[in-house]
Amino acid sequence: MSPDAHRAAVEAFQAGPWRELNLQPSWKVLGELSERHVLKGADLWHLATTKTLQATLPEARILTFDRVLSAAAKKEGLAVEPTATP
């Protein structure tokens, strides 16, 4: 991770607001997303978990510096942090 990307991540975490949650994705959502996006396992898990959370917490967003995950999240209508591409 570049120094600028690291700084952006630290600023995003400090800016919050964040809630600590223990979650897992809906298996249905996980399956649907796996058919629409080619993602690494952990990236698919994070996207599916965020989409599952979005059903009850519409303001849910995803924090990533991975371009592929960021693009998939945007296609799924999720807000992505940071908004700048590293």
Side-chain angles (χ1 to χ4, degrees):
M1 177 183 292
S2 73
D4 287 340
H6 178 264
R7 240 182 324 280
V10 170
E11 288 173 9
F13 278 117
Q14 291 173 341
W18 307 110
R19 296 183 205 180
E20 184 176 334
L21 303 169
N22 292 312
L23 302 169
Q24 73 178 41
S26 152
W27 290 109
K28 180 181 179 197
V29 171
L30 191 64
E32 291 170 353
L33 292 174
S34 72
E35 292 177 6
R36 289 197 295 267
H37 304 285
V38 178
L39 295 168
K40 294 179 263 181
D43 291 341
L44 177 61
W45 187 268
H46 289 128
L47 180 60
T49 299
T50 306
K51 285 295 291 182
T52 300
L53 177 61
Q54 190 182 41
T56 56
L57 189 66
E59 67 270 20
R61 55 187 58 221
I62 194 164
L63 173 64
T64 183
F65 291 98
D66 184 284
R67 288 186 179 110
V68 176
L69 176 56
S70 179
K74 288 176 183 175
K75 286 180 184 176
E76 292 298 324
L78 285 168
V80 179
E81 295 291 337
T83 55
T85 305

